[in-house]
Amino acid sequence: MYQQTRPAEPSAPSRTPPGAPAPAKGPLRPAPGRDERRSPTPHRSCRPAPRTAPAPPAELPSTHDALICVALPALTVSTEQGQLTGRGLEGVYRAGRRLLSRCRLRVAGREPLVVQARMTAPDRVRFVGTLRASPDAGPDPDVVVERTRDAEGTERIVLRSASPRPLRLPVEVALGTDLAELGRIAAGRAGGERPASVRGPGLCWSAPDISVSVTAQPPPADVLASAGLLRWQFDLSPGGTASLELRVRQDGAGPVRSAARTVTSPLAGAVATADTPGVPDLLRTAIEDLRALLLRDPRHPADLHLAAGAPWRCGLAPAEALAAARMALPLGTRLAAGTLRTLARTQHTGPGPRFGMIPGPRRDAGPHLPPCCTGVEATLLFPVVLAEARRWGLPAHETEELLPAAERCLTWLRATAGDDTYLCDPLPGRPVRCETQAHAHRAAVLGADLLDACGRPGADALCQWADALRTAFRREFWAPDPSGGRPAAGRAPDGRLLLHLDAAAAHLLDTGLLGEGRQAPGLLDEARTGHLARLLDSPAMNSGWGLRGLAADETGYNPFGHRAGAVRVTETAVAVAGLAAAGHEKQAGSLLRGLVAAAEAFGHRLPEMFSGEQRTEGSAPVHHPAACRPSATAAAASVLLLTALVGIRPDVPGGTVTLRPVRSAPLGEIGLTGLRVAGAPFSARVSRLGLALVEEAAEGLQLGV
């Protein structure tokens, strides 16, 4: 398991001591920091250099045009040209280390012209190239070169002759590597290539802590270590073929044991049918990407969780892992259970203010708020995921096993909030965030329901705090204006409301699932929910492809900003599901159709985010150059989008499943088969008239009203 370098985790939570001076008034400025994906720039001397301009930050290598094969911990990054040139991120990786950075193929002295590059699976890419090998072949190519490369570093090259006469084709492959770590590549400090030496039918490279080899079959006729060259000569009869295979291996590491390939998948192979083209491919690709991003806990191999995304975040990110597991509950509860067990082992259980907290890194929060601690989000998500997994059919003994960790999360919530109405950031001088209050309220309500159902104490205190938070939030966090008002994005330490509109407001709609198919109460009443629905579907927020991270008319808007205007797929899906559950089907359908259209443009593999540029006639969504793709939360969001259309609300402990479909049927008729409820297959369909039908369900499960 590996992950990119991140900023330091926040210190223990604390409050401003009594009598401490109040923070100075004025604009609330973000504290120094970076988005958690960014690797730090190289350390520089603290001595002043008045005559030298500061060096610009290193450009993060672009991923927008990369073909990324994933079977974690293995990863291969290619461009559409097929050649690995050693530039940017290109190469074969294992556990965050680049094993091979250069693999250039020449046939008959020329590089094939690539005419097609296509992902055939999440862990495999295929390139088709052509060339003219006969001098009198005319304008038509007479040799086809097919290259198939997988995430684990195996490449198969097949030459096919279309010439009417025999061909003798010299073939050479130029190899090289820097053995660099991904963090150094991201910071522009990969270093030069290592010298190669001959080993058997191939080459090898070494560094003090690693040794890598590439072997070839059939063995090359010539091996030139100084140039990193392997050479063959193939004789092709008319219509004949020849092939060779290259294998990249790290010495002493053994074969790659991808979690997706060595265990029974915890994710059901659900299938969608729909009137709207692309919907079946969207669900299929989402499930394939989720399986490719599976990781196992090294000390507890039976427990699986999701990496956040490739190529930058191929390790455990607690908040994202929990969010993805929650959205993927319609595919079964095994992933949620493995994620919860893995994170329970990281929970702070020692005395002090961090007792019960799940640690997490800081994350950029946009131009108007300082970085936040994702550990807060993960801690508040833990009891929510357990409570909802129980509703979807998590076995009772697994719920009981995880309940103490959920209780510790809820204890942290109550201890950190203390006598305050709101949950402040667990850092001095931080604002009260709207999004955090939504997470905290949901955790209190669903946590109380979980404790009560399991016969544990503490439910009454949580309900009382949630009631007080709900009352205060509606009174103090809603900023009225002539159009109906809006929720504040936060409150500064001096009490000022921060009134910019951003996508974090969508989390106010995500209230969670209770028994009998009921949605939990939210922080907003019905009227305010309606105002928020119109705001989220306004031209300032709805780009036509999805929900912008920050409204286009706000100060600091940047269509490529991580949380300053880019469309984040997860927040769009949360908005769609929340709006649909609240009955605002027009706004939900508008955002949904935009995101489904964007998915079509991205080949059904949604990135974690893309540009917030406005959709116009004939336009296409614009890639973000540093977005992860595949992304666990983006893939799981596709599952949430489609199941929200059907409105599946299970209550397995109560023996029921309720359907609350989107009656307007924004994608036409849609059917979902092969889902999991109560550990058994579940299938449902919604007609073009918005009528829902259960076609398959666990024995004894009744349809709720």
Side-chain angles (χ1 to χ4, degrees):
M1 182 166 58
Y2 65 97
Q3 198 161 356
Q4 79 286 357
T5 305
R6 298 179 183 271
E9 187 184 327
S11 57
S14 60
R15 297 188 180 92
T16 304
K25 293 186 177 182
L28 186 70
R29 298 184 181 277
R34 310 177 167 259
D35 185 272
E36 59 177 328
R37 272 188 303 246
R38 296 279 183 171
S39 297
T41 53
H43 175 74
R44 295 185 175 89
S45 169
C46 295
R47 295 179 180 177
R51 296 186 180 181
T52 305
E59 284 289 337
L60 200 66
S62 172
T63 61
H64 75 278
D65 58 352
L67 298 168
I68 302 175
C69 301
V70 183
L72 294 181
L75 184 73
T76 299
V77 183
S78 312
T79 71
E80 292 186 347
Q81 298 307 309
Q83 306 280 31
L84 299 182
T85 65
R87 295 192 291 267
L89 278 176
E90 295 173 40
V92 177
Y93 295 81
R94 178 168 175 166
R97 195 73 176 265
R98 183 153 63 183
L99 306 187
L100 187 70
S101 57
R102 188 163 53 89
C103 181
R104 303 195 72 149
L105 171 69
R106 292 173 66 88
V107 178
R110 301 190 305 282
E111 294 189 0
L113 174 66
V114 174
V115 293
Q116 185 186 74
R118 188 171 68 89
M119 298 289 300
T120 59
D123 63 343
R124 192 172 302 108
V125 63
R126 176 176 179 265
F127 305 95
V128 177
T130 63
L131 57 84
R132 290 184 298 152
S134 303
D136 54 351
D140 299 329
D142 56 359
V143 175
V144 176
V145 182
E146 179 182 315
R147 304 175 72 173
T148 304
R149 183 178 297 143
D150 68 25
E152 298 177 6
T154 298
E155 178 165 340
R156 182 173 175 81
I157 301 170
V158 178
L159 309 175
R160 292 189 174 89
S161 172
S163 173
R165 63 190 64 187
L167 295 176
R168 171 162 289 186
L169 297 177
V171 174
E172 67 178 30
V173 176
L175 304 170
T177 185
D178 49 21
L179 301 179
E181 295 178 350
L182 183 58
R184 296 184 66 85
I185 296 167
R189 298 183 285 122
E193 286 192 357
R194 301 274 177 172
S197 58
V198 177
R199 179 190 291 178
L203 295 167
C204 69
W205 300 262
S206 296
D209 59 339
I210 190 172
S211 181
V212 173
S213 63
V214 175
T215 57
Q217 288 295 331
D222 294 303
V223 180
L224 186 59
S226 60
L229 281 178
L230 307 181
R231 290 173 173 160
W232 297 260
Q233 189 148 263
F234 293 104
D235 292 315
L236 271 66
S237 60
T241 65
S243 64
L244 63 95
E245 186 173 88
L246 305 172
R247 289 181 176 268
V248 184
R249 293 293 181 264
Q250 179 180 343
D251 292 355
V256 174
R257 293 179 57 82
S258 167
R261 296 181 179 179
T262 56
V263 297
T264 302
S265 174
L267 300 165
V271 175
T273 58
D275 287 341
T276 301
V279 168
D281 290 328
L282 177 62
L283 182 60
R284 174 186 53 79
T285 304
I287 295 173
E288 289 177 348
D289 283 348
L290 289 172
R291 288 174 174 172
L293 291 169
L294 285 171
L295 289 173
R296 64 177 72 252
D297 186 327
R299 296 184 180 180
H300 300 268
D303 290 339
L304 300 175
H305 61 272
L306 290 168
W312 304 117
R313 308 180 65 202
C314 293
L316 175 62
E320 283 86 345
L322 282 169
R326 182 186 176 215
M327 291 187 285
L329 280 171
L331 303 178
T333 60
R334 283 182 56 203
L335 175 63
T339 304
L340 291 168
R341 283 192 291 265
T342 298
L343 291 176
R345 290 187 281 269
T346 73
Q347 190 176 37
H348 292 293
T349 56
R354 299 176 72 181
F355 173 82
M357 189 177 186
I358 295 172
R362 295 188 191 184
R363 179 173 65 201
D364 178 66
H368 297 284
L369 288 163
C372 62
C373 174
T374 60
V376 172
E377 183 179 348
T379 306
L380 298 174
L381 260 175
F382 191 103
V384 169
V385 174
L386 180 59
E388 292 191 327
R390 176 177 171 271
R391 295 290 176 197
W392 281 90
L394 183 70
H397 71 276
E398 294 190 62
T399 303
E400 289 290 334
E401 174 194 354
L402 290 161
L403 195 55
E407 289 180 298
R408 289 191 289 270
C409 291
L410 296 170
T411 298
W412 175 87
L413 166 59
R414 292 296 294 118
T416 305
D419 296 330
D420 295 337
T421 304
Y422 301 109
L423 179 66
C424 301
D425 278 17
L427 291 170
R430 299 301 189 187
V432 177
R433 301 175 196 265
C434 171
E435 180 182 2
T436 301
Q437 308 321 301
H439 294 328
H441 181 266
R442 183 183 60 206
V445 173
L446 269 65
D449 182 65
L450 177 67
L451 295 178
D452 188 57
C454 296
R456 299 295 184 97
D460 289 344
L462 285 167
C463 287
Q464 291 171 8
W465 182 79
D467 289 344
L469 173 61
R470 190 160 55 246
T471 300
F473 189 92
R474 293 177 182 181
R475 181 180 65 247
E476 300 171 0
F477 251 78
W478 189 266
D481 61 33
S483 66
R486 64 170 62 187
R491 192 177 70 178
D494 61 6
R496 287 176 299 111
L497 291 181
L498 308 174
L499 298 179
H500 62 276
L501 180 61
D502 61 22
H507 292 281
L508 291 168
L509 303 168
D510 181 13
T511 60
L513 182 66
L514 294 176
E516 301 175 345
R518 293 175 295 123
Q519 291 292 118
L523 286 176
L524 300 181
D525 57 22
E526 185 176 347
R528 290 180 173 88
T529 299
H531 287 305
L532 179 58
R534 289 187 286 275
L535 287 170
L536 295 181
D537 193 36
S538 68
M541 287 297 293
N542 186 353
S543 72
W545 302 112
L547 195 65
R548 292 187 177 96
L550 181 67
D553 54 4
E554 296 285 358
T555 303
Y557 168 73
N558 173 4
F560 289 94
H562 286 51
R563 287 173 175 81
V567 173
R568 300 189 68 83
V569 170
T570 306
E571 287 165 337
T572 303
V574 166
V576 169
L579 289 167
H584 297 283
E585 295 189 358
K586 177 184 175 183
Q587 292 84 359
S590 174
L591 288 168
L592 170 67
R593 286 189 292 268
L595 196 54
V596 169
E600 184 86 19
F602 286 118
H604 312 292
R605 179 186 252 188
L606 280 166
E608 61 172 325
M609 62 181 171
F610 52 90
S611 170
E613 295 283 354
Q614 184 63 41
R615 182 178 183 178
T616 58
E617 183 69 28
S619 68
V622 179
H623 287 265
H624 190 290
C628 285
R629 184 168 173 261
S631 158
T633 52
S638 300
V639 179
L640 174 63
L641 284 170
L642 300 181
T643 53
L645 277 181
V646 182
I648 305 169
R649 300 183 184 180
D651 181 10
V652 172
T656 65
V657 60
T658 304
L659 298 186
R660 293 286 187 269
V662 178
R663 299 289 185 180
S664 58
L667 300 182
E669 182 172 326
I670 182 169
L672 298 174
T673 61
L675 302 175
R676 289 289 184 274
V677 177
F682 182 86
S683 302
R685 181 172 301 277
V686 177
S687 72
R688 298 179 185 91
L689 299 177
L691 301 177
L693 173 69
V694 174
E695 297 181 329
E696 183 181 23
E699 185 176 353
L701 202 61
Q702 300 296 315
L703 186 62
V705 179

